[in-house]
Amino acid sequence: MAVGEAGARKRSPGRRKKGAKASTADLLLDATSSLMVERNSADVTFADIAEHSGLNAALIRYHFGSKAGLFMALLERDAGGTFGNLEALVSADMPADQKLRHHVFGVIKTYWRYPYMNRLVAALSLESDSEAARFIAERFTLTLADAQRRILEQGEREGLFRPIDPMMFYFSVIGSCDHLFNARHSLKFAFGVEDIDDDLRCRYSEHVAGILLESVMV
Amino acid sequence: MAVGEAGARKRSPGRRKKGAKASTADLLLDATSSLMVERNSADVTFADIAEHSGLNAALIRYHFGSKAGLFMALLERDAGGTFGNLEALVSADMPADQKLRHHVFGVIKTYWRYPYMNRLVAALSLESDSEAARFIAERFTLTLADAQRRILEQGEREGLFRPIDPMMFYFSVIGSCDHLFNARHSLKFAFGVEDIDDDLRCRYSEHVAGILLESVMV
């Protein structure tokens, strides 16, 4: 059953620094991440993760408490890790239209790297306790929505953008960025595209950023 | 356990004509639909549906063969029922910008009526046989994408629209239309909005149609 410690070490080290030794918690997150990519689903059990990582399932409970805890830690690692860049972008000395363009490229790159992100968010938001849903909303939605609001306000001050409702804007931007990755079956069966390569990622980013800039600019 | 036939009859008759007697298959679809709305999830079992409809679970297998069969029938009823209007819109004698606006309002209205639509599509696309994923792609994605392509081509011919890649357009339009309904937890916890009422639905439709029209029009 278990693939053994050696098998676990072969897997991608995710966002760890080169040469840093992976902790048990990191190995469990890596195994969860690669299983979700493989299955295109957040439907993974502790037993699956144990088998894939070669680690005992009890360690998952020890490190993360519950499946919700594990999922929150994964979301924090994957998306939370990009929020430093987002804050730097929003406070940079740069016109608002360029910021909006970079923001769209950044969001799409995150979905491209972690295509299970939305399944993860959906799975968390269905947890019976609402703590997980609140965590997502406060840590992720509000962080993104607040960054967008500040870019939109800057654009208005600079006379570049027309007034836009930031809540409406949030749902239309994130929905556009996400759907290519969320609906891979459509991409495959309706358009014959098996994989989202770097070229498609860039062209889609240009398309979404183009639509948004055309529409918000005065 | 079972709520009884009377309980089943009390439920909304969905898209049936007034006065028409609901068939067993209709009652099973109604029960599945109302359970998915209640749970904001496509995670329902035959036992749940049996309890909710007051009908025997064996009838689900008799009428639909499998869970995938049931889900495909529900998708066909909810979304497939709108495709006659879509075809009428595309072939109508009307400028392309008005068609695009009506199309966005139509897609958003469908998500508003059947907020579980995307969970249903995601659940179907994960079925082990790819028949379900192919069904979605051919019946839904291609129908929508083809209608959009024809509207975009008309707009170009009329000198109203700039050239747009229809595949990119498809994913950005459907993603925008869907996300408000797909991410209700964000709406609730990050923006304090509990329900999507008719007013919010209309304002969101105006927002998305506005963004798209601003960006595609010459």
Side-chain angles (χ1 to χ4, degrees), chain B residues 78-141:
Chain B
D78 295 349
T82 67
F83 287 164
N85 290 340
L86 181 62
E87 183 51 41
L89 175 69
V90 174
S91 17
D93 183 20
M94 188 191 282
D97 56 338
Q98 284 183 42
K99 287 188 185 179
L100 186 55
R101 192 169 182 280
H102 283 296
H103 174 57
V104 167
F105 273 73
V107 172
I108 290 180
K109 197 164 200 172
T110 306
Y111 283 127
W112 181 64
R113 271 193 191 148
Y114 311 109
Y116 51 78
M117 191 84 81
N118 283 289
R119 317 270 184 182
L120 195 60
V121 165
L124 267 178
S125 71
L126 292 174
E127 286 293 314
S128 48
D129 70 289
S130 60
E131 197 208 328
R134 204 175 284 275
F135 168 79
I136 295 168
E138 287 173 0
R139 178 74 180 114
F140 296 92
T141 309

Side-chain angles (χ1 to χ4, degrees), chain A residues 83 86-92 94-97 99-100 142-158 161 164 166 169:
Chain A
F83 287 165
L86 181 61
E87 183 50 43
L89 174 69
V90 174
S91 17
M94 188 191 283
D97 55 339
K99 287 187 184 178
L100 187 55
L142 284 179
T143 303
L144 283 165
D146 187 59
Q148 291 175 0
R149 187 185 49 74
R150 286 153 68 200
I151 296 175
L152 290 174
E153 283 171 4
Q154 182 193 327
E156 267 196 76
R157 277 198 311 276
E158 291 170 342
F161 295 173
I164 295 275
F169 191 73

